[in-house]
Amino acid sequence: MMQVPSGRQYSSTDVELMKLMVRYGFVRHSEKPFRLKSGIPSNVYIYGREDLTDNPAFEREIGWQVGLGVANAMQDMEDKRRTCLIGIPTAGTPLAQAAARESLIPGNPLAYENDNRIICHRLMREFLKEHGPHQTWVNGKPDPTKHCYWLVDNVATNGQSKLEAMEKLVADGYPPIEETPV
C-alpha cells in the first residue's frame, strides 16, 4: 500500500493501473502547459479518448475500476436503486460504457443476486438534438425512484464540463447530482 497526500491509500493494483495510464497516454505531461476548459493552465492532461478505446484491455480495466468505485459508494450510501452512469461527452462516455459492460461479467462482485447492482448507462449528447422524437440532452427519461444517476468524466477536477453537464441533466428533468468522488 502507498499513501498519497490526500490520505488515500493506493494498492499495487492502483499503481499498476496508473502505469498503464502513462503507458497508453491516458495521462500526459508537457513542458508547455495545456489550457483547461476552466482557463487554468496545467502541465498534465488527462486524455481518455483513442488512448483508451484503441486498447480494449486497458479500457476494460478502467471500466472495472470505475464500476468498483461506484458500487462501493452505493453500498456505503446504502442505496438500493440501480446505478445509471452518464458519461460527460465525449471522454466520459466510453468510461461509463466500460463500467456498465464490466458489471455483467459472471461472478462479478459488482453485481449482486438481483440486477439492481448491474450498472446501466445513458448517453449524453454534445449538442442538443433538434430532430426526431427525442430532442433532449440525454437519451432516456429520468426515473430517480429506479435509478441513482452518476456523471462520469475523464478527469477529477471540478471544472466547467461538469457544471455544463449538470445544467443539461436538470434541463432534461434529471435530479441534480451531488459530487461523490470515486
Side-chain angles (χ1 to χ4, degrees), residues 17 35 62 64 69 72 75 84 95 118 123 128 134 148:
L17 183 59
R35 190 174 66 83
I62 293 279
W64 171 258
N72 288 338
Q75 190 170 17
C84 183
L95 297 171
I118 295 174
L123 298 176
L128 187 60
H134 308 289
C148 180

Side-chain angles (χ1 to χ4, degrees), residues 81 86 122 141-151 165-178:
R81 294 174 295 167
I86 302 172
R122 303 264 169 94
K141 294 181 181 179
D143 185 351
T145 62
K146 181 179 177 183
H147 293 118
C148 180
Y149 299 102
W150 293 71
L151 280 173
M166 182 60 70
E167 289 172 5
K168 292 174 183 178
L169 286 177
V170 171
D172 277 1
Y174 283 81
I177 296 175
E178 296 177 27

Side-chain angles (χ1 to χ4, degrees), residues 10-64:
Y10 288 102
S11 68
S12 59
T13 303
D14 295 326
V15 172
E16 290 305 312
L17 183 59
M18 286 185 249
K19 288 178 183 177
L20 287 175
M21 289 176 172
V22 172
R23 175 180 170 193
Y24 290 118
F26 187 88
V27 177
R28 299 180 196 174
H29 180 271
S30 172
E31 292 302 319
K32 180 181 176 191
F34 300 97
R35 190 174 66 83
L36 303 179
K37 187 166 189 156
S38 63
I40 297 170
S42 175
N43 294 85
V44 177
Y45 194 82
I46 308 297
Y47 283 79
R49 290 162 177 80
E50 75 280 356
D51 46 282
L52 182 67
T53 58
D54 283 355
N55 299 288
F58 176 53
E59 183 178 17
R60 182 177 183 188
E61 184 62 30
I62 293 279
W64 171 258

Side-chain angles (χ1 to χ4, degrees), residues 66-79 83 117 150 180-182:
V66 169
L68 185 60
V70 170
N72 288 338
M74 288 288 288
Q75 190 170 17
D76 290 347
M77 295 178 340
E78 298 180 4
D79 195 320
T83 301
R117 293 302 179 223
W150 293 71
T180 306
V182 177

Side-chain angles (χ1 to χ4, degrees), residues 109-128:
L110 297 181
Y112 296 106
E113 291 184 16
N114 64 43
D115 72 345
N116 275 4
R117 293 302 179 223
I118 295 174
I119 297 169
C120 64
H121 69 94
R122 303 264 169 94
L123 298 176
M124 179 180 278
R125 296 177 177 88
E126 285 188 82
F127 302 99
L128 187 60

